[in-house]
């Protein structure tokens, strides 16, 4: 292949319609092309072609009975993407728009992200087009039991270790783990994000959100600044957003907005610890909508909108979903003085937005670096499970901070080595790629 364009033509021809996957691959390939030119052995061994082809894709029927007695049929998937540096590792997503292209994009991103953590984890991603929103606990349990009744034969603590993602939180992980234990007749660490009394790591629920803010803080430190007293626009109000907000507050910053798929709330006084606890209860226990927060505190709720037009912030933390921040949104953010963007979600900024952030030379931390704290602490959960140990909160939190600092250094180092100083997109893609590619090269044609 002579160019990224030729490579992408080949990828798109083999995987028609998988638009999010194409978007993710195109971004990575344009960053790593200079690496392929400097190391012709990677191209000769067809490392890029092998990297974009999952090692295995499992697709299965998930039948279950709803509360009215009607039979429902969903589709389950597990994409086992790359095991060059460790067993497959990555979350499960339950949302109605889940399809193979979305899971392949997430699994491909995961392969580079997991490499960045420095822990021995390969990459996978899975899920279903089932949406837990609006379903009773009993329905969610029956679905999870049916899903795991098939998935259990493909996973294992040395094979493939799923975790949560959108729509898969503590409740779903509990039901999935219970069914695994029942059908496999063993208690092993086959999932991460477990409850702290049954093998889960302390700080795992917080890890992705905390890590994003640690990463933003590291980027700011390159300019002798910090999150302290910075105002932040956050999107999402799920797992990642909740704990990103908590860490912004812990480090002395101010959270102005949060959102869900119905719209966003703008609280100019700042969402403090007490208000955040109310939002977490709303989302995790009462399973309500973010607009209820606006009614509760008397602030603004904007239905159907995203928070990127709100003025008065220096930092943006997109923590909801892919492509939630467009080129137009990026233009507005830049015009309003935002100069730090750290992605909590996977690929939340579309390609036009990424280009604008990079061209403007702001501090832009792409998801595969900035949100790697979650999978990193999943790796620490696996280490604790394997050694029958339970580490303290402080120990896990300081390991998380250390890993985010290391990831930040790796990005800076790789970007500088390829003459793109300060470009975290290039740095993250190259650092992750080099690790996976060299392991694949060493292991032969498999
Ligand atoms: P949750 O399900 O806990 O929360 C998702 C949040 O995003 C909710 O507020 C949800 O709103 C909102 N959202 C989801 N889809 C859309 C959409 N299409 N449009 C607008 N809002 C939407 O998921 P997580 O917090 O776990 O995941 C958020 C992001 O972070 C995802 O991109 C995920 O891949 C990524 N990520 C998660 C990690 C983790 O450890 N959990 C690790 C690394 C990355 P609503 O409730 O209305 O659907």
């Amino acid at each position: 292949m002579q160019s990224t364009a030729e490579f992408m033509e080949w990828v798109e021809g083999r995987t028609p319609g998988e638009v999010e996957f194409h978007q993710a691959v195109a971004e990575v390939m344009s960053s790593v092309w200079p690496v392929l030119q400097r190391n012709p052995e990677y191209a000769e061994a067809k490392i890029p072609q092998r990297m974009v082809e999952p090692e295995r894709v499992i697709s299965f029927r998930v039948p279950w009975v709803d509360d009215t007695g009607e039979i429902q049929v969903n589709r389950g998937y597990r994409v086992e993407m790359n095991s060059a540096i460790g067993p497959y590792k990555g979350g499960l997503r339950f949302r109605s728009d889940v399809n193979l292209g979305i899971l392949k994009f997430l699994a491909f991103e995961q392969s580079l992200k997991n490499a960045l953590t420095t822990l021995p984890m390969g990459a996978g991603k899975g899920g279903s087009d089932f949406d837990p929103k609006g379903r009773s606990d009993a329905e969610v349990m029956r679905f999870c039991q049916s899903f795991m009744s098939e998935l259990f034969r493909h996973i294992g603590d040395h094979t493939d270790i799923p975790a949560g993602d959108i729509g898969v939180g503590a409740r779903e992980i509990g039901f999935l783990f219970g069914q695994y234990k029942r059908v496999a007749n063993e208690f092993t660490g086959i999932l991460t994000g477990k409850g702290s009394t049954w093998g889960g790591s302390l700080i795992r629920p917080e890890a992705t959100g905390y890590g994003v803010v640690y990463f933003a803080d590291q980027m700011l430190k390159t300019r002798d600044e910090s999150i302290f007293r910075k105002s932040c626009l956050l999107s999402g109000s799920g797992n990642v957003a909740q704990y990103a907000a908590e860490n912004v507050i812990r480090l002395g910053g101010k959270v102005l907005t949060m959102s869900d798929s119905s719209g966003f709330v703008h609280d100019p006084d700042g969402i403090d610890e007490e208000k955040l606890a109310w939002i977490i209860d709303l989302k995790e226990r009462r399973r309500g909508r973010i607009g209820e927060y606006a009614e509760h505190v008397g602030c603004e709720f904007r239905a159907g909108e995203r928070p990127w037009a709100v003025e008065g912030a220096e930092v943006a933390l997109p923590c909801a979903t892919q492509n939630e921040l467009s080129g137009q949104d990026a233009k507005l953010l830049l015009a309003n003085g935002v100069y730090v963007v750290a992605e909590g979600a996977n690929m939340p900024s579309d390609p036009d937005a990424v280009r604008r952030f990079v061209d403007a030379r702001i501090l832009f931390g792409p998801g595969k670096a900035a949100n790697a704290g979650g999978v990193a602490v999943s790796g620490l959960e696996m280490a604790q499970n394997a050694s029958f140990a339970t580490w303290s909160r402080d120990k896990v939190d300081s390991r998380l901070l250390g890993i985010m600092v290391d990831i930040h250094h790796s990005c800076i180092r790789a970007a500088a080595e390829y003459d793109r100083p300060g470009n975290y997109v290039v740095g993250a893609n190259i650092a992750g790629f080099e690790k996976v590619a060299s392991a694949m090269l060493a292991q032969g044609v498999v």
Side-chain angles (χ1 to χ4, degrees):
M1 306 257 175
Q2 297 304 312
S3 64
T4 45
E6 198 185 327
F7 184 80
M8 286 314 301
E9 205 177 306
W10 175 80
V11 171
E12 287 168 22
R14 285 168 66 83
T15 55
E18 296 180 356
V19 284
E20 291 86 359
F21 179 58
H22 303 158
Q23 184 182 330
V25 173
E27 187 214 89
V28 170
M29 282 306 149
S30 61
S31 296
V32 303
W33 209 253
V35 182
L36 299 174
Q37 285 172 323
R38 208 184 273 186
N39 303 277
E41 65 275 21
Y42 290 151
E44 276 158 29
K46 299 240 164 103
I47 298 292
Q49 289 89 334
R50 282 152 64 190
M51 243 187 214
V52 298
E53 190 63 37
E55 289 179 16
R56 188 178 298 112
V57 175
I58 300 145
S59 164
F60 51 97
R61 180 205 300 157
V62 189
W64 57 284
V65 181
D66 71 17
D67 284 347
T68 67
E70 194 181 331
I71 294 169
Q72 301 286 337
V73 184
N74 287 96
R75 189 173 291 160
Y77 302 92
R78 187 69 182 164
V79 178
E80 296 183 335
M81 194 75 190
N82 196 307
S83 62
I85 60 173
Y88 310 111
K89 181 87 197 91
L92 297 171
R93 177 175 291 191
F94 291 169
R95 198 175 159 89
S96 50
D97 62 2
V98 161
N99 58 43
L100 192 55
I102 288 182
L103 295 177
K104 280 176 66 182
F105 122 62
L106 290 164
F108 179 70
E109 289 278 297
Q110 195 85 44
S111 58
L112 304 181
K113 178 189 309 190
N114 292 4
L116 286 172
T117 66
T118 70
L119 300 172
M121 296 182 292
K125 201 83 192 189
S128 173
D129 58 356
F130 167 78
D131 200 331
K133 262 204 307 290
R135 293 291 181 186
S136 70
D137 287 352
E139 289 180 315
V140 172
M141 182 178 73
R142 287 195 292 276
F143 172 81
C144 287
Q145 290 176 341
S146 181
F147 184 85
M148 186 52 88
S149 298
E150 173 58 33
L151 187 69
F152 89 98
R153 68 187 92 248
H154 307 289
I155 62 176
D157 56 353
H158 290 94
T159 317
D160 185 353
I161 307 97
D165 190 79
I166 292 178
V168 180
R171 173 183 61 172
E172 289 76 16
I173 292 288
F175 293 148
L176 291 164
F177 187 77
Q179 183 69 357
Y180 178 88
K181 197 163 55 71
R182 186 181 192 195
V183 293
N185 192 29
E186 60 175 31
F187 193 116
T188 44
I190 44 85
L191 290 168
T192 55
K194 301 185 288 297
S196 59
T197 55
W198 42 280
S201 175
L202 294 171
I203 303 287
R204 176 58 189 94
E206 294 89 342
T208 308
Y210 277 17
V212 175
V213 179
Y214 286 147
F215 195 87
D217 204 43
Q218 287 304 307
M219 293 198 294
L220 278 160
K221 289 211 158 72
T222 64
R223 297 187 181 179
D224 294 325
E225 296 181 49
S226 74
I227 283 286
F228 186 67
R229 296 222 170 120
K230 296 279 185 304
S231 290
C232 305
L233 304 180
L234 243 109
S235 65
S237 51
N239 173 263
V240 178
Q242 290 167 13
Y243 291 105
E246 187 170 292
N247 214 14
V248 168
I249 298 165
R250 272 203 319 173
L251 298 181
K254 191 171 175 184
V255 177
L256 298 181
T257 64
M258 289 183 81
S259 72
D260 64 18
S261 55
S262 67
F264 78 90
V265 291
H266 176 203
D267 186 344
D269 297 333
I271 298 171
D272 61 18
E273 226 170 287
E274 201 180 311
K275 292 170 175 175
L276 181 63
W278 193 92
I279 291 178
I280 294 177
D281 184 68
L282 172 76
K283 286 292 167 182
E284 299 307 310
R285 195 180 58 80
R286 288 176 281 150
R287 303 202 179 268
R289 311 304 291 153
I290 198 69
E292 294 170 47
Y293 172 83
E295 280 167 34
H296 174 66
V297 299
C299 72
E300 186 185 18
F301 169 63
R302 296 187 76 102
E305 290 183 33
R306 291 166 179 159
W308 312 127
V310 171
E311 295 178 9
E314 297 87 14
V315 181
L317 304 173
C319 296
T321 192
Q322 65 272 4
N323 293 327
E324 56 162 316
L325 200 163
S326 67
Q328 277 313 307
D329 296 325
K331 202 171 153 186
L332 212 51
L333 285 170
L334 293 168
N336 287 342
V338 167
Y339 64 96
V340 185
V341 178
E343 295 186 328
N346 285 308
M347 211 168 73
S349 312
D350 78 7
D352 187 23
V354 174
R355 191 182 48 74
R356 285 175 192 272
F357 291 145
V358 170
D359 287 352
R361 295 181 176 272
I362 65 158
L363 298 169
F364 173 64
K368 67 173 73 65
N371 73 31
V375 73
V377 173
S378 276
L380 303 181
E381 181 169 323
M382 288 159 65
Q384 292 170 73
N385 291 166
S387 58
F388 289 94
T390 305
W391 300 351
S392 68
R393 272 184 82 83
D394 284 351
K395 177 169 175 170
V396 181
D397 197 15
S398 73
R399 287 286 303 267
L400 169 64
L401 174 59
I403 290 169
M404 297 315 295
V405 169
D406 287 348
I407 294 173
H408 180 264
H409 280 156
S410 302
C411 295
I412 292 276
R413 179 199 51 76
E417 207 179 308
Y418 281 85
D419 291 331
R420 305 287 293 277
N423 185 329
Y424 291 90
V425 176
V426 167
N429 286 335
I430 290 182
F433 176 85
E434 280 183 326
K435 183 167 178 191
V436 179
S438 62
M440 289 176 74
L441 200 60
Q443 292 170 21
V445 183
V446 291

